[in-house]
Amino acid sequence: MQQIQRDFPLQALNTFGLPALADRYVVVDSVAGLQALVRAGALAGTAQLVLGGGSNVIFGGDFNGLVLKVAIKGRRLVREDDEAWYVEAGAGETWHDFVRWTLQQGWPGLENLSLIPGTVGAAPIQNIGAYGLEMCARFESLDAVDLGSGESRHMDAPACRFGYRDSVFKGEAAGRYLITSVVFRLPKSWQPITGYADVARELEAQGIAQPDALQVSDAVIAIRSRKLPDPAVLGNAGSFFKNPVVDMPTFARLEAAHPGLPHYAQPDGRQKLAAGWLIEQAGWKGRDLGPVGAFEKQALVLVNRGGARGEDVRRIAEAIRADVRARFGVELEAEPVFV
Ligand code: FAD
Ligand code: EPU
């Protein structure tokens, strides 16, 4: 069983670079080790935070509880049938390294999700998505440990209730489980997903008409490297707000007033708007409030200009929300998890 440490600094363990101390901190590198911790009562009567790569958490201040840092490793082909490869990874594996490894093995399917920061175990939490693909399209099942009882639980896709940047783990099961491994189903009838405008443009610019999966991955990496700030250089948590999904009457009103409004039709008839566009139109692109600003190349990403604390992030987020509400009558919902 790993040792529990006291007053552990978390600033280097969250990509926004926010200062915070964990009252207690432990590394979880095996299922058995975690279950031993639960059964020894280490989690009883204390707040808990499961931490992966820290790329989607905002620390408001010190964490008065136990941080469980996920470091369970391992990746393997579980099985193969006529239709698909089933590939498993430990929750502590780095997401992007896992994606590239699957491609190198000749198992395509995750390439559009290249270069998303963080761990495999966090991918189901908000059902990560990018460039025309959501993780749920490749998800088979996961294993988790119930932090109350220490029992193992196996969950399929319906049990996870995936939605846009959403799952049961952000709702009624929030904080209840530590995901220990995930199995992905990578279909053999692979077709490249190149419909997202940026991807189509990038491949065309490279003169690639029929890309293989590695070429799609490389294109996504090139786009992301141009547009998004590298957390190692400029602290951030990716998109700070979800793209708002609005009903038809709201969309019709907005489109009439703003003909250039980017929008994506949803299967249920509603329209998803681009929060980055709304924020830019509200005058926030490249603008700072204290030590936090809206990134100059992508207004949806808030960045740490240096020395930011949790309250600085909250202040600019509220100011942006208020301006977008006043100008468009649209509510923005934060994407990262506030601790
Ligand atoms: P953390 O930040 O450590 O945790 C996030 C949440 O998941 C917390 O609530 C935590 O308690 C919980 N959690 C983490 N691991 C586990 C586990 N094993 N079991 C149970 N709960 C767990 N996201 C996208 O969807 N698409 C993108 O294109 C994208 N681009 C990004 C670009 C940048 C530059 C950055 C900084 C972030 C981006 N993100 C994106 C957000 C982020 O990468 C994802 O949300 C990622 O899945 C978070 O992984 P993590 O390991 O860092 O999770
Ligand atoms: N736009 C602007 N101004 C901006 C930013 C964007 O006008 O400052 C416009 C763009 O011109 C485009 C539209 O908004 O018409 C969409 O922009 P982009 O393609 O950059 O994507 P996004 O909607 O801002 C989403 C995800 C990203 C994901 C990309 C690519 C959300 C909240 N964000 O961003 O995910 O990588 O699409 O698929 O859904 C994340 O979740 O952390 C994240 C980075």
Side-chain angles (χ1 to χ4, degrees):
M1 202 160 77
Q2 291 276 347
Q3 210 167 349
I4 295 179
Q5 303 182 62
R6 290 248 163 212
D7 296 326
F8 195 88
L10 300 172
Q11 190 164 21
L13 299 184
N14 72 97
T15 61
F16 216 103
L18 298 169
L21 281 183
D23 180 35
R24 296 189 303 147
Y25 175 93
V26 68
V27 173
V28 173
D29 58 9
S30 71
V31 176
L34 173 60
Q35 289 174 323
L37 271 174
V38 177
R39 285 169 187 153
L43 279 64
T46 181
Q48 298 134 30
L49 173 70
V50 179
L51 188 63
S55 63
N56 220 27
V57 285
I58 301 295
F59 286 108
D62 292 342
F63 183 70
N64 188 19
L66 176 65
V67 168
L68 299 146
K69 169 76 176 157
V70 182
I72 300 169
K73 299 286 187 191
R75 48 197 194 191
R76 68 190 177 105
L77 181 68
V78 185
R79 68 192 162 93
E80 178 182 352
D81 58 25
D82 289 348
E83 264 127 51
W85 295 278
Y86 298 82
V87 186
E88 181 183 61
E93 289 285 336
T94 298
W95 173 260
H96 175 69
D97 294 349
F98 171 64
V99 170
R100 293 293 291 195
W101 174 77
T102 57
L103 299 177
Q104 282 149 12
Q105 304 303 306
W107 308 323
L110 296 173
E111 55 281 354
N112 293 59
L113 305 179
S114 295
L115 215 60
I116 296 181
T119 54
V120 167
I125 303 294
Q126 71 159 3
N127 179 23
I128 56 172
Y131 300 102
L133 182 71
E134 285 186 336
M135 186 226 61
C136 62
R138 302 285 184 251
F139 177 89
E140 173 70 9
S141 65
L142 60 77
D143 284 297
V145 167
D146 184 322
L147 295 175
S149 65
E151 295 298 315
S152 292
R153 169 111 195 252
H154 185 74
M155 294 169 85
D156 62 8
C160 295
R161 286 196 238 133
F162 294 121
Y164 163 61
R165 296 295 188 275
D166 201 20
S167 74
V168 71
F169 306 106
K170 290 189 90 173
E172 69 185 53
R176 178 161 174 196
Y177 297 105
L178 189 149
I179 294 168
T180 52
S181 61
V182 185
V183 176
F184 299 91
R185 179 182 187 279
L186 305 176
K188 292 186 173 173
S189 60
W190 176 84
Q191 289 289 326
I193 298 171
T194 57
Y196 203 92
D198 278 349
V199 177
R201 262 197 301 270
E202 179 69 26
L203 290 167
E204 199 189 325
Q206 292 183 22
I208 301 169
Q210 284 175 327
D212 62 27
L214 266 169
Q215 287 170 319
V216 174
S217 172
D218 289 343
V220 167
I221 290 170
I223 298 162
R224 295 184 67 102
S225 305
R226 274 201 303 269
K227 266 185 138 165
L228 294 167
D230 177 355
V233 179
L234 199 54
N236 75 91
S239 297
F240 199 85
F241 299 100
K242 295 183 188 178
N243 283 329
V245 181
V246 298
D247 58 23
M248 250 345 246
T250 307
F251 174 68
R253 169 178 66 75
L254 287 168
E255 203 192 23
H258 311 279
L261 178 79
H263 59 96
Y264 312 91
Q266 301 300 289
D268 62 6
R270 295 186 300 162
Q271 295 279 344
K272 191 191 273 179
L273 308 179
W277 187 91
L278 299 173
I279 295 167
E280 179 174 351
Q281 296 299 310
W284 277 99
K285 194 169 190 168
R287 189 170 141 202
D288 298 348
L289 180 63
V292 182
F295 189 52
E296 30 290 328
K297 292 189 222 161
Q298 226 297 2
L300 188 49
V301 180
L302 299 188
V303 294
N304 183 351
R305 303 283 183 203
R309 309 183 68 87
E311 64 253 31
D312 300 312
V313 182
R314 274 186 195 274
R315 198 152 59 97
I316 187 173
E318 274 318 308
I320 291 173
R321 290 188 59 187
D323 281 356
V324 167
R325 186 186 304 126
R327 199 175 160 120
F328 299 103
V330 172
E331 280 299 325
L332 292 182
E333 188 189 335
E335 192 210 77
V337 176
F338 284 73
V339 179

